[in-house]
Amino acid sequence: MKYLRLKRKKDFSKIVKSGKRIYAPSLTIVIFPAKQTKMAVCVGKKYGKSVERNRIKRLLREAFRTQEGEIVSPCHILLIPKVAEKYEYGVFWRDIGKLLRREKLLETQNA
């Protein structure tokens, strides 16, 4: 399953206004039920210069991409990182998986 990216301002507004927010130490995820899984990353200028912002976006997209095949119910997902000194792929991957499992959106692995 390949996810699509959310791009329209109307979609962002709808998700932020009426989506469910779930929190982790490294990021916040906003989830809104939909017919097809779509994802967006929101990284503003407070996160640093464009090089840092683009790196954060790449890390979040990859962490989501590796887990999106296990998503059970389609939804729109907005990923918002928290400001930190250092951003790591492993932390984002762990927190995205943990939050999506908590919301019963990922298949649980009992291994």
Side-chain angles (χ1 to χ4, degrees), residues 3-107:
Y3 72 88
L4 300 173
R5 287 179 41 201
L6 290 167
K7 296 180 182 178
R8 297 187 321 196
K9 184 176 180 176
K10 182 174 112 175
D11 293 335
F12 274 90
S13 299
K14 182 171 58 170
I15 293 169
V16 170
K17 182 180 176 184
S18 55
K20 180 178 182 181
R21 290 178 183 259
I22 49 179
Y23 302 95
S26 68
L27 72 143
T28 299
I29 298 179
V30 185
I31 298 173
F32 187 78
K35 293 180 182 177
Q36 186 176 21
T37 299
K38 291 187 178 185
M39 189 270 297
V41 178
C42 185
V43 181
K45 291 192 176 186
K46 69 180 179 180
Y47 295 92
K49 297 189 183 262
S50 63
V51 174
E52 291 93 13
R53 293 194 309 266
N54 289 333
R55 180 175 180 274
I56 294 167
K57 289 189 269 188
R58 284 194 307 272
L59 291 173
L60 284 168
R61 284 188 195 120
E62 181 63 16
F64 178 78
R65 186 193 67 79
T66 57
Q67 300 181 46
E68 59 93 18
E70 302 171 14
I71 292 179
V72 179
S73 59
C75 56
H76 290 173
I77 298 174
L78 178 62
L79 304 174
I80 307 168
K82 293 186 178 174
V83 177
E85 289 289 320
K86 188 174 177 185
Y87 298 95
E88 296 180 12
Y89 167 78
V91 174
F92 286 143
W93 184 85
R94 181 194 66 219
D95 286 345
I96 289 172
K98 182 170 57 173
L99 293 177
L100 293 179
R101 269 188 217 86
R102 187 186 322 158
E103 294 300 314
K104 311 259 189 291
L105 293 174
L106 280 185
E107 296 174 354

